[in-house]
Amino acid sequence: YYMNEISAAIGLIQLKKLDVLNQKRKNTAKEYHNRIHLKNKMPFSNDCSYHYYWIRVKNRSEFMRKMRKNGIETGIHYKPVHLMSYYKKKMKLPISELIGDEIVSLPTHPNLNEKNVNKIISLVNKIGKDY
């Protein structure tokens, strides 16, 4: 990637913050792992930066709609590779497709405060049990 000097300067400053930002994400993920009461959720590991933290719910679109209604943006970041256009084949992988339809990413950005994390956990436990 060819970048200009301003972008490079900003990147160098951001790199100095990387360990602190990753630790904040890791702390959030640890809270999610310890306090979210869903069976299917991302395991916790000290070796992960937790750019995303995923859970699985049965009715993803309804779960995401209810979270958004409560002010929480969720995302879909992991899709089965065999369904992507570059790899698409006439192959059926039903377990991968099932998980691909259920997985949801929760916010882990370093600007989340304790109140935000508590709200997310509370909503996931409340809404997620139904979906």
Side-chain angles (χ1 to χ4, degrees), residues 2 5-7 11 13 21-22 27 30 34-35 45 47-48 62 64 67 70 97 124:
Y2 178 76
E5 289 81 7
I6 293 173
S7 295
I13 298 299
L21 299 177
N22 282 344
N27 292 343
K30 191 171 193 175
N34 289 336
R35 295 177 46 212
S45 169
D47 298 325
C48 184
E62 186 63 18
M64 292 177 74
M67 291 293 283
N70 284 278
E97 292 170 22
V124 168

Side-chain angles (χ1 to χ4, degrees), residues 57-61 78 80 83 96-104:
V57 293
K58 296 292 181 194
N59 188 336
R60 178 173 62 194
S61 59
Y78 301 107
L83 297 178
S96 295
E97 292 170 22
L98 171 73
I99 292 170
D101 288 340
E102 294 177 350
I103 202 161
V104 177

